[in-house]
Amino acid sequence: MTAGKQTEEGQTVCVTGAGGFIASWLVKLLLERGYTVRGTVRNPEDQKNAHLKQLEGAEERLTLVKADLMDYNSLLNAINGCQGVFHVASPVTDDPEEMVEPAVNGTKNVLDACAVAGVRRVVFTSSIGAVYMDPSRDYDALVDENCWSNLDYCKETKNWYCYGKTVAEKAAWERAKDKGLDLVVVNPCVVLGPVLQSSINASIIHILKYLTGSAKTYANSVQAYVHVRDVAEAHILVYESPSASGRYLCAESVLHRGDVVDLLASMFPQYPIPTKVKEDGKPRVKPWKVSNQKLKDLGLEFTPAKQCLYETVISLQEKGHISK
Ligand SMILES: NC(=O)c1ccc[n+]([C@@H]2O[C@H](COP(=O)([O-])OP(=O)(O)OC[C@H]3O[C@@H](n4cnc5c(N)ncnc54)[C@H](OP(=O)(O)O)[C@@H]3O)[C@@H](O)[C@H]2O)c1
């Protein structure tokens, strides 16, 4: 354990949306470190949550509790008695009806329940979508934790996921201030890596489409990437480090889609990976720069993007989503 971190073994913590891609990894690492975990799921009997019961330590220290973000009492029931809460659950969609209300009011409900239950620290999973969507941003400047997405721009471009995550994060900071809660936020970029759950989540589809032949071209755009284990690790680091505060951008590197397909093709030539860019009449977009210094300062060592892509594909093969 890193110097200055608190020994948390034996504590009970809650992870919302435990069956999702990131949350499953978080539950796995928390159990490995000796935590007792309450994972909220919408349906504990659903087979899509079965993988959680197979995790090491789950039999002794994982309880799945039925809760919905829109049902405050169900959240309070799950959170009562927990020293820490990791609020990971959120819709991940660009449908405004499905996205905004559960993301925003769900986050308020979680924080209200944390305040009533006397939770010591809350870690909220926001997104780089709450950080970088701003047309007035200096493209050559470093994207860091001081940046906030522009809500009008998100609306105009119908980027309802970024809109919902930005409003939800702002609401979380406001609520935490009002209620005197200790809140720390992790802002991951596009998360890749091995899937523990049986279904495929949105960020994995981002890669899967290049392997199945469904994407004939790649976009002339750039994105930041990070390994799912590093994202889970970041959540635990900011929870356990007494000095942690504010937002933590969680990104390893920024790549053009052309770099992503080249890396995939070099490692997995057997797939129909696109070789042509989708024409948009613009010169090749340059990668912007993103800061991950705050997490590095807490001791996080990021997995290189190539390794992350490799592990993503191997996992998709092992789970039978693509043939070898
Ligand atoms: N993956 C990425 O690239 C990425 C990047 C940045 C930030 N994030 C953030 O990380 C978090 C997890 O994302 P993920 O990629 O792991 O997505 P995911 O696999 O789709 O997981 C989302 C989870 O949220 C739960 N959820 C959605 N609506 C809910 C509701 N009304 N009540 C209770 N639970 C609800 C889902 O439960 P059900 O299974 O019952 O639907 C699921 O467990 C989200 O907050 C997302 O915004 C993800």
Side-chain angles (χ1 to χ4, degrees), residues 200 207-213 268 270-272 312-324:
I200 298 279
I207 295 304
L208 186 62
K209 69 175 189 280
Y210 294 138
L211 304 167
T212 57
F268 302 101
Q270 68 269 43
Y271 298 116
T312 308
V313 178
I314 297 294
S315 158
L316 290 170
Q317 290 174 343
E318 285 172 357
K319 287 259 188 292
H321 296 297
I322 46 173
S323 59
K324 291 190 182 172

Side-chain angles (χ1 to χ4, degrees), residues 184-261:
V184 189
V185 170
V186 178
N187 299 77
C189 54
V190 175
V191 185
L192 302 175
V195 281
L196 299 176
Q197 80 279 13
S198 53
S199 58
I200 298 279
N201 62 294
S203 57
I204 293 294
I205 290 174
H206 177 81
I207 295 304
L208 186 62
K209 69 175 189 280
Y210 294 138
L211 304 167
T212 57
S214 72
K216 307 290 180 223
T217 54
Y218 58 85
N220 180 19
S221 62
V222 299
Q223 198 42 274
Y225 297 91
V226 69
H227 194 294
V228 64
R229 191 177 42 240
D230 298 344
V231 177
E233 189 70 53
H235 281 71
I236 299 177
L237 267 175
V238 303
Y239 179 68
E240 290 183 348
S241 306
S243 64
S245 75
R247 308 168 94 193
Y248 286 81
L249 267 174
C250 192
E252 194 274 326
S253 52
V254 182
L255 298 176
H256 191 277
R257 295 283 204 285
D259 298 324
V260 172
V261 293

Side-chain angles (χ1 to χ4, degrees), residues 22 26 85-88 121-131 145 161 165 169 172-173 183-189 191 226-228 230-239 244-251 294-295 298 300 302:
I22 295 173
L26 180 56
V85 169
F86 297 88
H87 174 37
V88 189
R121 179 169 276 181
V122 187
V123 179
F124 171 57
T125 318
S126 182
S127 167
I128 199 163
V131 175
E145 286 83 0
Y161 174 71
K165 291 302 284 187
E169 190 190 327
W173 284 118
L183 173 72
V184 189
V185 170
V186 178
N187 299 77
C189 54
V191 185
V226 69
H227 194 294
V228 64
D230 298 344
V231 177
E233 189 70 53
H235 281 71
I236 299 177
L237 267 175
V238 303
Y239 179 68
S245 75
R247 308 168 94 193
Y248 286 81
L249 267 174
C250 192
K294 276 187 82 182
L295 280 171
L298 287 185
L300 191 65
F302 286 93

